[in-house]
Amino acid sequence: MSAQWSEEQIRMLINERKNGNEEYHRTPNCNKRNFWEDIANEINRVNNTNYFTGEDCNKKFLALTRAYYVSNMIIK
């Protein structure tokens, strides 16, 4: 079962990824798992939850970016 995301949690995910953009691009692919785990830990800490994983964060971010690009293609 996938995690349920509130709007606040999604905004936090986007901001954490945006703020870590330089680190993300500097990190070898094999270590990106740690990058996403750090974001998940921060979201869990701030929201007093324990169910977000690094994989959840990565998948959600990919889905958001994919939806963004698809919506831009439809508009154009």
Side-chain angles (χ1 to χ4, degrees):
M1 184 173 150
S2 63
Q4 295 294 322
W5 292 83
S6 69
E7 187 172 327
E8 178 184 337
Q9 291 162 336
I10 292 170
R11 288 183 192 280
M12 186 174 184
L13 170 66
I14 293 168
N15 287 335
E16 289 290 321
R17 172 55 178 81
K18 182 175 69 173
N19 292 338
N21 194 49
E22 187 177 319
E23 176 188 350
Y24 178 83
H25 288 290
R26 249 191 354 246
T27 304
N29 283 341
C30 60
N31 294 333
K32 285 198 178 10
R33 184 176 186 200
N34 293 335
F35 176 85
W36 289 111
E37 284 297 327
D38 289 345
I39 290 176
N41 290 337
E42 182 63 11
I43 292 171
N44 284 323
R45 185 189 68 75
V46 168
N47 292 279
N48 197 30
T49 58
N50 64 358
Y51 52 83
F52 289 107
T53 66
E55 184 178 0
D56 291 332
C57 291
N58 185 17
K59 285 182 178 180
K60 184 64 172 180
F61 192 81
L62 290 174
L64 291 168
T65 55
R66 189 170 33 254
Y68 171 81
Y69 288 118
V70 167
S71 68
N72 278 347
M73 288 173 43
I74 293 170
I75 292 171
K76 292 181 181 178

